[in-house]
Amino acid sequence: MDEDRLLMTPGPTAVPAAVRDRMAEPAPNPDVEPEFVAFYRDLTDKLGAVYGDDDLAILGGEGILGLEAAVASLVGDGDRALCISNGLYGDGFADFVEDAGGEAVTCRAPSTGGIDVDAVAERLDEGEFDVATMVHCETPTGTLNDLDPVLDLLDDHDVLSVVDAVSSLGGTPVPTDEIDVCIGASQKCFSAPPGLAVLSISDAAWETIEATEIRSYYADLTPWKTAADEEWFPYTMPVNNLQALDAAVDLLIEEGLDAVFERHDAAADLCRGRGRELGLELYPDADVASPTVTAFHVEGRAQELQQRLREEEGVVLATGLGDLEDDVLRVGHMGHNAREDRVERTMDAIDRVL
């Protein structure tokens, strides 16, 4: 792989050398060597700086596993889930609900704006729900949702909350203390290799999980409540990935969360300022654009621009997904990529290609 290549996708991100080095270190056998349990406990303690005080589970699978596991463990036959959506991943929660035997009721808003809080309130008043799902940062459109008013409504109606914070956690503040199950992943703002989903789980969520008849083995969160205490994990843990995440969390803690958030804000401001100079328009409304990813609206040109940037400039960007595949070009300034020199090189490359 060309070392001059600049990977500026919204996950997986570029991985710092210290994280790559740690991943390559010899690893204990997690099934038979007790030092692994001590390491796992220490890692979950460190992650508390980002996730808060709730119990944590680190699953051996990409972030989508975390989304599916949250729903599969909370939703049983006949349970009703309110799937609050303004994008592809918000819609996708409904599939997990139906796979678990539940009834999915989707409350949609346009993908260019935030969650429609009034519509959510109306839905909650119309009937009872057991669980509600939502996305903090809709990565395909670069939209960041304000969760606080929605979480307040769910609390008033005694509805458990499941939040996909995969593309925001560690890059911008997330109200984790108000969320029952909050899902992150290693390959986004943590800038570790893909392969791990990290979930925080509240006491209320545990009560429901323990009372739910769960159809899945791999996506069942039940064993994770006592795994570290009992020194038994439901499957062989991907130790090298965990070591890489440990190193990535060390870097984040060393820098300090406030400084990390400021760095993401500065990178986003620079990206959008340069974009305006080039005549590029944001896809989402400016007031809901995420600090971790910028989506430019380039109708009908995204795939062409992506290919030319990769081949002519050595800069790797992402396009939109689904119906927006050729209309949105995305710059991922998250994690290790949220640095002004990397954004400047990216925008210089876009300038030359345009």
Side-chain angles (χ1 to χ4, degrees):
M1 186 67 71
D2 185 353
E3 291 188 3
D4 290 333
R5 160 183 165 274
L6 182 61
L7 180 66
M8 290 292 286
T9 54
T13 67
V15 178
V19 178
R20 298 197 304 270
D21 290 345
R22 183 70 188 286
M23 188 176 189
E25 290 182 2
N29 184 318
D31 298 323
V32 300
E33 296 188 88
E35 53 262 44
F36 172 76
V37 177
F39 161 72
Y40 180 87
R41 288 172 179 156
D42 183 60
L43 175 54
T44 55
D45 286 344
K46 290 179 186 178
L47 283 164
V50 182
Y51 280 87
D53 296 331
D54 285 341
D55 291 341
L56 293 182
I58 308 176
L59 310 185
E62 194 269 339
I64 293 293
L65 173 62
L67 307 184
E68 182 172 6
V71 174
S73 299
L74 288 169
V75 176
D77 288 337
D79 288 340
R80 300 186 78 226
L82 180 62
C83 299
I84 303 164
S85 176
N86 59 337
L88 187 99
Y89 285 104
D91 285 349
F93 268 119
D95 294 331
F96 294 136
V97 170
E98 291 169 0
D99 287 345
E103 177 190 351
V105 177
T106 302
C107 181
R108 288 190 178 88
S111 60
T112 52
I115 289 172
D116 187 337
V117 179
D118 290 337
V120 173
E122 290 177 10
R123 287 286 192 179
L124 290 170
D125 287 340
E126 289 171 359
E128 293 186 0
F129 292 92
D130 302 286
V131 176
T133 64
M134 70 205 83
V135 178
H136 190 208
C137 174
E138 269 286 357
T139 329
T141 59
T143 302
L144 189 76
N145 289 311
D146 181 6
L147 299 182
D148 289 322
V150 180
L151 293 170
D152 287 343
L153 284 170
L154 298 179
D155 186 55
D156 290 342
H157 287 79
D158 197 27
V159 177
L160 292 174
S161 56
V162 173
V163 172
D164 169 358
V166 167
S167 297
S168 57
L169 202 71
T172 194
V174 180
T176 53
D177 57 336
E178 303 297 326
I179 297 168
D180 289 298
V181 179
C182 184
I183 305 140
S186 55
Q187 80 275 18
K188 300 286 187 174
C189 298
F190 291 112
S191 283
L196 298 174
V198 184
L199 298 84
S200 62
I201 305 166
S202 72
D203 290 342
W206 278 128
E207 289 180 11
T208 297
I209 290 168
E210 291 169 342
T212 299
E213 185 174 343
I214 300 169
R215 299 181 176 187
S216 173
Y217 177 82
Y218 203 77
D220 182 0
L221 293 176
T222 307
W224 299 96
K225 183 172 176 58
T226 58
D229 291 337
E230 295 181 356
E231 301 186 3
W232 178 87
F233 295 87
Y235 47 75
T236 298
M237 296 294 282
V239 189
N240 294 92
N241 283 72
L242 290 164
Q243 289 180 164
L245 179 59
D246 185 62
V249 175
D250 283 343
L251 293 175
L252 188 151
I253 292 173
E254 180 181 353
E255 184 176 357
L257 276 180
D258 289 341
V260 169
F261 296 157
E262 290 173 7
R263 176 163 56 80
H264 280 76
D265 288 339
D269 289 344
L270 175 61
C271 183
R272 288 156 200 168
R274 289 291 308 274
R276 284 192 297 273
E277 292 172 4
L278 299 177
L280 294 171
E281 296 181 0
L282 286 178
Y283 176 81
D285 298 336
D287 60 341
V288 294
S290 173
T292 60
V293 53
T294 290
F296 290 118
H297 191 205
V298 290
E299 186 171 357
R301 296 195 62 194
Q303 294 177 84
E304 170 219 340
L305 292 172
Q306 180 194 42
Q307 181 177 355
R308 290 187 58 198
L309 284 162
R310 184 178 66 251
E311 295 177 352
E312 299 173 20
E313 300 288 341
V315 174
V316 183
L317 302 185
T319 65
L321 299 177
D323 293 340
L324 297 175
E325 183 179 16
D326 204 27
D327 294 331
V328 167
L329 186 69
R330 294 183 291 152
V331 180
H333 37 73
M334 60 174 61
H336 184 59
N337 287 344
R339 288 180 163 79
E340 294 188 3
D341 60 329
R342 299 174 76 85
V343 174
E344 287 281 19
R345 179 180 160 188
T346 300
M347 301 311 294
D348 287 346
I350 292 175
D351 186 10
R352 287 190 291 270
V353 168
L354 288 174

